[in-house]
Amino acid sequence: MNVGIIGGTDGLGKTLIYYFRDEFEVYITGTDHKKGRKVAEELNVQYIESNAGLANISDILVIAVPIQFTSDVIREVAPFMKSGTLMVDVTSVKEEPSKTMAEALPDNVEYIPTHPVFGPRTTRLDNQVIVLTADKKGKWYPKVYNYLAGKNMRIIETTAEKHDFMMSIVQVLTHFSFISTASAIE
């Protein structure tokens, strides 16, 4: 099975290579082709210069780009997805990517907006939290769920709206805590 990672040269996209490369054929893209070829060579995966080309060969396409580019990339590659394939995003917000996938993807392409609640420095999936916010659960959903459960991940299923509301609280509390601590120290 071919897994494509758009944004596979940095951050979480690059980290996902380590989890997938032993079980799947992994292909990546990135904005810096020289860096992309270097990462691909170092991690023993394939580099493709075109997001559209990657979408066209992927059974599962992971969108792992910065949040501000996620919807644009989804729209860019949606027409190139093959029938029966799956698109996943890994951003920390879910409403906008979910809405964009629903609008842009053909009906014969499934999508699962996800939020891996761990960072690029995570070395194992065991006991890590991942949030799934699928609007619909098609043929890919149980496969993805079972794969993640098989890695002993803590899976939370919710809606994109509930996810984003809860994350807004968590993020505000975290920042408030840091700012309060910094103020006290100052």
Side-chain angles (χ1 to χ4, degrees), residues 52-105:
L54 182 61
N56 190 253
I57 65 164
S58 296
D59 299 302
I60 299 173
L61 183 65
V62 179
I63 311 298
V65 299
I67 293 169
Q68 67 268 28
F69 303 118
T70 301
S71 289
D72 290 339
V73 170
I74 291 167
R75 285 187 201 94
E76 172 194 352
V77 299
F80 302 98
M81 298 283 297
K82 295 182 300 186
S83 176
T85 58
L86 171 68
M87 180 183 281
V88 173
D89 85 290
V90 294
T91 61
S92 60
V93 295
K94 297 284 54 102
E95 287 182 85
E96 187 64 28
S98 182
K99 179 182 170 196
T100 304
M101 286 187 250
E103 292 171 356
L105 288 170

Side-chain angles (χ1 to χ4, degrees), residues 4-15:
I5 305 171
I6 296 178
T9 59
D10 288 301
L12 186 57
K14 184 177 180 182
T15 299

Side-chain angles (χ1 to χ4, degrees), residues 13-169:
K14 184 177 180 182
T15 299
L16 293 175
I17 295 170
Y18 294 98
Y19 303 132
F20 296 148
R21 68 181 176 184
D22 293 337
E23 299 177 68
F24 308 105
E25 292 295 321
V26 177
Y27 297 81
I28 63 171
T29 64
T31 54
D32 180 337
H33 299 311
K34 183 177 178 182
K35 179 179 182 178
R37 286 188 289 276
K38 182 179 179 196
V39 168
E41 185 178 329
E42 288 173 358
L43 300 182
N44 199 28
V45 297
Q46 299 296 314
Y47 183 76
I48 294 183
E49 292 188 4
S50 161
N51 288 345
L54 182 61
N56 190 253
I57 65 164
S58 296
D59 299 302
I60 299 173
L61 183 65
V62 179
I63 311 298
V65 299
I67 293 169
Q68 67 268 28
F69 303 118
T70 301
S71 289
D72 290 339
V73 170
I74 291 167
R75 285 187 201 94
E76 172 194 352
V77 299
F80 302 98
M81 298 283 297
K82 295 182 300 186
S83 176
T85 58
L86 171 68
M87 180 183 281
V88 173
D89 85 290
V90 294
T91 61
S92 60
V93 295
K94 297 284 54 102
E95 287 182 85
E96 187 64 28
S98 182
K99 179 182 170 196
T100 304
M101 286 187 250
E103 292 171 356
L105 288 170
D107 291 337
N108 58 9
V109 173
E110 192 172 337
Y111 61 95
I112 304 174
T114 71
H115 179 192
V117 188
F118 53 88
R121 292 190 234 23
T122 302
T123 57
R124 35 182 253 175
L125 296 176
D126 184 55
N127 211 31
Q128 297 295 329
V129 175
I130 187 162
V131 182
L132 306 179
T133 64
D135 298 332
K136 300 179 268 184
K137 296 179 181 176
K139 72 171 188 147
W140 279 102
Y141 192 86
K143 293 176 185 179
V144 169
Y145 188 97
N146 291 335
Y147 176 81
L148 299 171
K151 299 293 182 189
N152 199 34
M153 293 189 76
R154 295 174 35 213
I155 304 165
I156 298 172
E157 297 175 281
T158 189
T159 65
E161 293 79 14
K162 285 181 184 176
H163 169 274
D164 286 0
F165 176 73
M166 291 307 297
M167 287 307 297
S168 70
I169 293 170

